[in-house]
Amino acid sequence: MNIEQQIINSAKEGVKAIYGQDIPEKMLQLQKTRSEFEGNLTLVVFPLLKISKKKPEDTAQEIGEFLKSNCKSIADFNVVKGFLNLVISNEAWAELLIDIDRDEHFGMKPVSEESPLVMIEYSSPNTNKPLHLGHVRNNLLGWSLAQIMQANGNKVVKTNIVNDRGIHICKSMLAWLKWGNGETPETSGKKGDHLIGDYYVAFDKHYREEIKELMAQGMDEETAKQEAPLIKEAHEMLVKWEQNDPEVRSLWKKMNDWVYAGFDETYKALGVSFDKIYYESDTYLKGKAKVEEGLEKGLFFRKDDNSVWADLTNEGLDQKLLLRSDGTSVYMTQDIGTAEMRFHDYPIDKMIYVVGNEQNYHFQVLSILLDRLGFKWGKELVHFSYGMVELPNGKMKSREGTVVDADDLMELMVSDARRVSDEAGKNQDLSETERQEIARIVGMGALKYFILKVDARKNMLFNPEESIDFNGNTGPFIQYTHARIRSILRKAENIQCQMSNVELNSKEIELIQKMNEFTAAVEQAGKDYSPSGIANYCYELTKVFNQFYHDYSILGEEDAQKRNFRLVLARNVAKILKSGMALLGIEVPERM
């Protein structure tokens, strides 16, 4: 049983013994003692005054005396108004460290067959262009959220919905047919997603030229956009695709396969993966069928032009289009179809969609529609909404000049990490392969940490130079501390977890207390869907360790018992940092 629970149990007994009343646990609030007062944990007694019918100071004094006599974890106490500051005994801290040391998965709840199943959707790329900086934030948030939900005892299914159909896909296909000369990823030396993205850009360039020409002939812009020969051809191709034209479908499959191979490389470099991938080319027909079913049940209505709508005015919203007058589906219909397929494949208890905040209204509507259609998790679906991410102007040019390419960004981060390491003269005793692997771990750690430490709901500016700093609130700062601890442990001999009668200093106590907070940090991050909570915890633990290490020697400590205690302390800081960073999808190197 942890120290907090021991104190709460004893305090409940104390209230019963002193005031003759049973109280619920929630009336006993423990918090970390403020730094200006003596103590480690503080019990707030104000909620107990109705029961004690005494002044706050007297109530705190009486409960403090009971705890000191009856709770072995309490060495002493002091009272400041209605706050009972408790000093935890050396023995209790040492026992806590032993418990942490014994638990290989400290801070994590086990997953069982009975655990609820949480499905998390992230990534959701289009097959007409490579992944960009926005996708990087999406993928990192989705992956981290999956690790955090699992650490909170949930079964997790990581899923992706690929937007592989529609007019935008036909634009790339048409451009390749017109100007590609049979080019392939092999003949061009380009990743498949970049190759297809180049043709999407080529389509746009030629299409703009056609619009310009038509406008020069006196046509207004809106009409020119619809009458341009290229867009008409693209629409014809889309109709052929929907009619299962063998030539169009064959080209579509070939080009999509090139893109998927490119995506796979990017996902691998990012360190993310999926348990199940869905494709809109499969789900949109399911969605249409589900909407037709809802129409028959009177859940939706048909307008005179044959379009199908949902009336959401009772929920304070408007009417929502589900099927166009020509019978084609909209995004909402596709999301309903995807939900139908997923619910058939998995017994989902909770569904989390990691999608940008520009889609807030979409998911508000989707939740209502899924609930109407009988999906048990519809009402409680979570839209994990996040803000935009941008780079400082001029820091980095992308292929298209408008968005920052994910592959370019990762390459830059790894090369920056290598340059910083070489300039600092680090790792000179390592092989070239080892140096490059450390550069990859540090570069990717810098990228991931910088993005994940920010509250996901906020827009953010990603600065590659700031992120690679080895000081301050960065990934490399935490990674370097882990590597430093591992270096100390390699030099130590035979670390024993025996700690009787060790006199602890305030920095050691602070470190054990901070380590003990990892469990609560993981729990809170799960409740709040907040990777930033884990990032900030890892940074705080790193700071506390570095303050301790600055003030006290580990290997240089002459007292063998103290040295051994500090080695166990350091070993568990490294273990928790490794676990915490893993929840963010970040590796920590053994050396740097």
Side-chain angles (χ1 to χ4, degrees):
M1 192 190 302
N2 65 30
I3 291 170
E4 287 93 335
Q5 197 59 52
Q6 281 179 32
I7 294 169
I8 284 169
N9 290 354
S10 289
K12 274 183 75 175
E13 289 168 17
V15 171
K16 173 84 171 168
I18 303 164
Y19 309 117
Q21 256 187 274
D22 286 311
I23 57 164
E25 217 171 86
K26 64 181 179 186
M27 284 183 74
L28 298 167
Q29 302 167 25
L30 273 179
Q31 57 195 37
K32 205 169 177 178
T33 304
R34 284 166 53 179
S35 56
E36 62 264 38
F37 301 116
E38 187 196 354
N40 309 110
L41 290 168
T42 296
L43 182 68
V44 184
V45 302
F46 294 110
L48 306 174
L49 300 184
K50 280 185 182 173
I51 294 166
S52 72
K53 298 183 172 55
K54 294 184 179 180
K55 291 178 187 171
E57 291 88 343
D58 296 343
T59 306
Q61 185 68 31
E62 287 177 345
I63 294 171
E65 284 167 4
F66 181 91
L67 288 175
K68 189 174 177 182
S69 302
N70 295 278
C71 181
K72 63 175 186 172
S73 294
I74 306 300
D76 206 352
F77 71 93
N78 63 83
V79 174
V80 180
K81 296 180 180 171
F83 298 96
L84 172 58
N85 300 324
L86 302 167
V87 178
I88 309 301
S89 69
N90 270 359
E91 292 73 26
W93 289 124
E95 276 178 31
L96 177 56
L97 181 59
I98 290 168
D99 288 345
I100 292 171
D101 189 65
R102 282 179 184 151
D103 187 351
E104 191 187 337
H105 304 290
F106 175 71
M108 314 286 175
K109 288 181 185 155
V111 178
S112 70
E113 278 304 310
E114 288 71 47
S115 295
L117 188 142
V118 179
M119 180 176 275
I120 302 176
E121 175 195 293
Y122 57 98
S123 201
S124 313
N126 294 334
T127 57
N128 62 324
K129 55 192 174 187
L131 303 178
H132 55 67
L133 181 56
H135 288 115
V136 170
R137 190 178 200 190
N138 179 301
N139 278 281
L140 297 182
L141 286 168
W143 176 265
S144 180
L145 201 54
Q147 310 314 306
I148 290 167
M149 296 310 285
Q150 194 169 319
N152 276 286
N154 298 287
K155 287 185 278 194
V156 173
V157 175
K158 303 184 293 294
T159 182
N160 185 358
I161 174 75
V162 179
N163 187 355
D164 65 339
R165 61 174 285 277
I167 191 69
H168 51 293
I169 310 296
C170 292
K171 289 175 181 179
S172 297
M173 290 162 61
L174 187 61
W176 184 84
L177 280 176
K178 284 182 174 297
W179 306 295
N181 298 317
E183 188 178 31
T184 67
E186 290 74 26
T187 62
S188 65
K190 291 178 184 173
K191 278 174 85 235
D193 51 338
H194 291 149
L195 179 69
I196 302 307
D198 289 346
Y199 283 104
Y200 185 69
V201 173
F203 177 95
D204 195 54
K205 185 176 147 229
H206 287 92
Y207 176 43
R208 284 174 192 274
E209 284 167 7
E210 287 186 352
I211 294 167
K212 214 169 168 185
E213 270 179 46
L214 291 171
M215 285 172 70
Q217 292 166 25
M219 203 178 276
D220 69 86
E221 188 176 359
E222 213 43 54
T223 311
K225 281 180 179 175
Q226 290 165 20
E227 293 300 318
L230 268 176
I231 201 71
K232 285 186 166 180
E233 277 189 79
H235 277 292
E236 283 165 21
M237 184 179 267
L238 181 58
V239 171
K240 284 182 179 178
W241 183 91
E242 295 206 345
Q243 291 169 346
N244 267 321
D245 179 274
E247 276 186 39
V248 171
R249 284 283 178 141
S250 172
L251 176 64
W252 170 75
K253 185 180 183 314
K254 177 168 76 173
M255 291 177 71
N256 272 354
D257 285 346
W258 292 345
V259 173
Y260 298 143
F263 283 172
D264 286 347
E265 278 186 52
T266 307
Y267 288 139
K268 189 178 176 188
L270 260 181
V272 305
S273 61
F274 309 93
D275 301 307
K276 178 84 175 178
I277 297 180
Y278 292 89
Y279 300 91
E280 284 193 10
S281 53
D282 297 325
T283 68
Y284 85 107
L285 290 172
K286 292 269 185 194
K288 285 171 77 169
K290 200 71 185 165
V291 168
E292 296 285 356
E293 186 187 307
L295 192 63
E296 283 171 30
K297 291 179 180 173
L299 302 173
F300 310 130
F301 70 95
R302 196 184 290 279
K303 287 193 176 178
D304 293 341
D305 68 352
N306 207 37
S307 57
V308 177
W309 296 71
D311 185 358
L312 305 174
T313 48
N314 284 348
E315 276 86 0
L317 302 171
D318 54 8
Q319 295 183 345
K320 183 68 189 172
L321 175 68
L322 298 179
L323 289 174
R324 297 187 189 95
S325 53
D326 62 2
T328 56
S329 59
V330 293
Y331 275 117
M332 190 64 72
T333 326
Q334 291 163 30
D335 274 347
I336 291 168
T338 309
E340 166 81 350
M341 287 182 81
R342 287 171 174 163
F343 196 68
H344 177 265
D345 292 343
Y346 297 96
I348 301 167
D349 294 297
K350 187 180 281 293
M351 181 75 214
I352 302 174
Y353 294 88
V354 181
V355 182
N357 55 17
E358 71 279 3
Q359 295 292 330
N360 286 355
Y361 174 74
H362 175 90
F363 284 98
Q364 194 182 354
V365 172
L366 182 64
S367 176
I368 295 166
L369 295 180
L370 291 178
D371 184 55
R372 273 191 198 179
L373 287 164
F375 293 94
K376 65 171 183 175
W377 45 266
K379 210 164 202 157
E380 273 81 45
L381 77 77
V382 176
H383 173 209
F384 183 84
S385 173
Y386 63 90
M388 295 277 290
V389 54
E390 292 169 355
L391 283 143
N393 288 339
K395 286 277 179 193
M396 180 178 165
K397 295 293 179 197
S398 70
R399 282 182 180 80
E400 296 178 27
T402 51
V403 293
V404 178
D405 181 84
D407 295 312
D408 288 350
L409 180 60
M410 289 190 285
E411 200 179 305
L412 174 82
M413 294 303 301
V414 175
S415 65
D416 273 4
R418 179 61 194 265
R419 177 181 52 75
V420 170
S421 175
D422 288 350
E423 284 172 3
K426 296 178 187 287
N427 303 328
Q428 289 178 328
D429 57 331
L430 299 182
S431 71
E432 175 57 27
T433 307
E434 288 171 318
R435 286 189 202 183
Q436 200 49 38
E437 176 61 2
I438 290 170
R440 182 194 66 78
I441 291 172
V442 173
M444 292 307 298
L447 170 66
K448 293 178 180 185
Y449 186 86
F450 201 93
I451 285 176
L452 292 173
K453 74 175 180 179
V454 178
D455 179 349
R457 290 164 297 192
K458 294 179 180 172
N459 290 347
M460 68 167 292
L461 194 68
F462 175 69
N463 189 325
E465 286 174 21
E466 271 182 41
S467 73
I468 215 89
D469 196 341
F470 280 77
N471 297 299
N473 191 2
T474 66
F477 172 63
I478 297 166
Q479 289 173 317
Y480 183 68
T481 299
H482 177 271
R484 170 189 271 170
I485 295 171
R486 296 304 300 165
S487 171
I488 292 166
L489 296 173
R490 280 194 297 274
K491 292 171 190 165
E493 294 169 18
N494 192 21
I495 305 168
Q496 299 289 324
C497 195
Q498 294 165 345
M499 303 179 196
S500 53
N501 304 318
V502 179
E503 195 59 43
L504 306 186
N505 62 54
S506 61
K507 286 281 194 288
E508 289 164 336
I509 289 170
E510 187 184 2
L511 199 46
I512 297 170
Q513 191 165 7
K514 180 52 75 176
M515 284 194 277
N516 190 44
E517 289 167 19
F518 182 53
T519 304
V522 172
E523 201 172 295
Q524 198 60 48
K527 282 178 186 165
D528 299 341
Y529 308 113
S530 174
S532 63
I534 297 294
N536 292 323
Y537 170 82
C538 289
Y539 176 55
E540 291 298 322
L541 177 60
T542 303
K543 278 200 303 185
V544 174
F545 175 80
N546 282 319
Q547 286 161 3
F548 158 74
Y549 189 65
H550 177 269
D551 293 349
Y552 298 96
S553 175
I554 297 179
L555 292 174
E557 171 57 56
E558 289 178 5
D559 182 317
Q561 198 176 22
K562 279 188 180 179
R563 181 171 63 250
N564 187 67
F565 178 84
R566 287 175 190 171
L567 285 166
V568 175
L569 204 57
R571 175 167 74 193
N572 284 283
V573 171
K575 175 177 82 180
I576 292 169
L577 286 179
K578 187 173 185 174
S579 294
M581 294 293 264
L583 293 179
L584 305 175
I586 299 173
E587 299 166 77
V588 284
E590 290 290 304
R591 53 198 300 171
M592 270 172 78

